[in-house]
Amino acid sequence: MPAMIKKLSANSQGKDYVVGDLHGCFSMLERLLQHVYFEPTRDRVFSVGDLIDRGPDSLRCLQLLAEPWFYAVQGNHEVMMLKFFQDYLTHGVLEDLVDHHQTGFLRYGGAWIEAYFRIDQQCMTDKFNHGLDLVSQLPLMLVVGNGPDRFHIVHAELVSFNELDAELTIWLDDDIDRWLTLGKIPESVTECLLWGRSLMMRHYGQLSHIQAQTGLSPVFCGHSYAPEPRQVLSHVCVDTGAFKSFESADAHYNLTLFDIKDAIGYSATYEKG
Ligand SMILES: [Mn+2]
C-alpha cells in the first residue's frame, strides 16, 4: 500500500505553486503555466486533489501525475474512483461499469470513464489504466520543507468539528510529524482530510471553542469553492471553482494557480477551444 503521508524537500531552485481542484480543466492550467513562465526543470506544481470529474479532460489531468514537476494528493473524487475500481485493480477484469460498491463515483461526475471502457476485452484502455495506477499511488497529505518554509498540501482540511460539543480540533505540525514517523494518518483524520467542510463553508453559529492554531504551518487545500482564495486558521483554500467556469461559464469562478512564496494567485477562466 502506498504511503498516506509524504515528505518533500523545499525547492531551492525555483518556484512552488499550488493549483486548486482541476476537475478535468486541463487547458486552464496549461494557460496559467504559460502565463507565469513556468519552468519545469526548476518549478513545481502541487495539486490539492480532485483532478477528475465534471470538467472536459479528466484523463489528461491524471496524466499530469507522470510529470516530475507535478505533485498531488488524493481528493474525495480520486478516493471514490479507486473504490469504484477496487475489484478491477485486484483482478484485472471488468465486466461492466456498475457501481457495485455504491461509491457514488458515476453519479458525482465519473461517467466520463465510459469512453475508456473496452467491453469486448473486459478492461479499460491502456491509457486509462496508467492514469488509474498513478492515482493509486497518491498520498493523502504532503509535507514540504522545514521551519519557516514548511507547508502542507491536503484536499479538504486538517481540523475536525465535533457537532455535539461544538468544538473544533486542529492538528498541528507536531501531530503531523508523528504521522510521518508512523508512516500513517489516523482514520479519524483521513475523513476530515478528504471531506471536511467545517472551515471553508460553515457558519460558526454554535462554535464554542477553537484550539490554538500556533504550531501549524500553512495548509493549502481545496474541496470547497468560492470566487477567491481565502484563509482560515492556517488553511489557505485555493479552490475557486474551475468546473463552474466550464459548466456554466460563470465568470465569478475560475482556476487558481497560487505562488506559495509570494502569496499571489493567478486565475484563468474556461475558454472554448
Ligand atoms: Mn472534493
Side-chain angles (χ1 to χ4, degrees), residues 1 9 31 47 59 67 74 90 92 131 144 150 194 198 207 227 240 246 257 264 272:
M1 196 171 145
S9 306
R31 275 192 287 124
S47 156
L59 187 56
E67 301 290 348
Q74 286 180 15
T90 313
V144 185
R150 172 169 168 161
L194 287 166
S198 52
L207 189 71
T240 48
F246 164 70
L257 184 70
I264 300 172
K272 275 190 189 150

Side-chain angles (χ1 to χ4, degrees), residues 21 23 49-50 54 75-77 155-156 194 197 222-224 239:
D21 305 32
H23 279 307
D50 280 4
R54 297 175 173 162
N76 54 306
H77 283 259
H155 181 56
L194 287 166
R197 286 212 161 108
H223 188 56
S224 298
D239 183 10

Side-chain angles (χ1 to χ4, degrees), residues 9 108 169 190-192 227 243:
S9 306
Y108 290 109
T169 304
T190 62
E191 273 304 289
C192 305
F243 81 95

Side-chain angles (χ1 to χ4, degrees), residues 4-5 140-141 158 171 175-176 178-180 182-193:
M4 295 170 110
I5 177 165
L140 294 178
M141 181 170 183
L158 247 183
W171 292 286
D175 300 299
I176 298 160
R178 207 170 53 243
W179 305 337
L180 270 173
L182 290 169
K184 196 168 157 11
I185 302 174
E187 217 170 287
S188 54
V189 182
T190 62
E191 273 304 289
C192 305
L193 283 182

Side-chain angles (χ1 to χ4, degrees), residues 34 79 103 147 207 223:
Q34 281 167 12
V79 168
T103 65
L207 189 71
H223 188 56

